[in-house]
Structure formats: structure tokens, C-alpha cells
């Protein structure tokens, strides 16, 4: 029963990094950093989530996580900034 409930969420959460890595082909020099941040973030996030829930309550930890995920999603789907330095004038 728990696998049925958790598998779709885990699949969707696990797809963001591979999708962005495939779109960052022009940033080959930074890809090792992307992998290291992807590995370190869950460690820090779990510790921070535990601390926040112990100090302020589980609802505050949930609201904080929801807010951070919303901001991250908006950043991912934001259009690429214009590079005005390459314009021919």
C-alpha cells in the first residue's frame, strides 16, 4: 500500500535533476558541481527539516518545504534571461 502511494511522488521528484542535466549540455564545466550539490542537498535538507520541525513544529516544516519547492519550480520554469551583451549595435 505504501509503495502505491509513494512511488508516483518519488518518480516525479526524481525526474527534475536528470531533465535539467540533459538541458545543461552547454555547461559541461559546471556539471560536476551540479552532481555534488544534488548529493549534498538531501543531507542538509533532512537535518534542517528535523531541526525546524523540532523547534517550530511539523506544520512549519511542511510550509517551509512547500514554499521552497514552489520557488524552485518557478526558477526552473522561468524563461532564459536576455543576453544583451551579444546584440549587434
Amino acid at each position: 500500500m505504501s509503495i502505491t502511494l509513494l512511488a508516483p511522488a518519488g518518480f516525479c521528484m526524481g525526474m527534475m535533476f536528470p531533465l535539467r542535466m540533459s538541458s545543461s549540455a552547454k555547461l559541461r564545466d559546471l556539471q560536476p558541481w551540479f552532481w555534488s550539490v544534488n548529493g549534498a542537498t538531501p543531507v542538509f535538507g533532512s537535518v534542517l527539516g528535523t531541526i525546524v520541525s523540532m523547534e517550530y513544529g511539523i506544520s512549519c516544516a511542511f510550509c517551509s518545504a512547500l514554499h521552497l519547492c514552489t520557488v524552485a519550480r518557478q526558477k526552473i520554469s522561468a524563461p532564459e534571461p536576455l543576453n544583451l551583451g551579444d546584440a549587434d549595435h
Side-chain angles (χ1 to χ4, degrees):
M1 179 69 176
S2 61
I3 291 176
T4 306
L5 293 173
L6 294 175
F11 178 77
C12 292
M13 288 187 286
M15 290 303 295
M16 297 311 281
F17 183 71
L19 289 174
R20 291 307 282 177
M21 283 299 287
S22 65
S23 68
S24 68
K26 56 187 169 191
L27 301 172
R28 291 272 183 216
D29 295 340
L30 295 176
Q31 285 187 345
W33 282 101
F34 297 157
W35 280 102
S36 62
V37 169
N38 185 54
T41 305
V43 174
F44 293 124
S46 64
V47 172
L48 185 63
T50 303
I51 292 171
V52 169
S53 65
M54 288 175 67
E55 290 294 321
Y56 302 107
I58 193 73
S59 61
C60 182
F62 284 151
C63 289
S64 299
L66 180 64
H67 177 70
L68 289 173
C69 288
T70 303
V71 169
R73 181 67 185 144
Q74 288 174 346
K75 286 294 205 182
I76 288 172
S77 62
E80 294 289 325
L82 294 175
N83 190 354
L84 300 177
D86 293 339
D88 294 328
H89 292 307

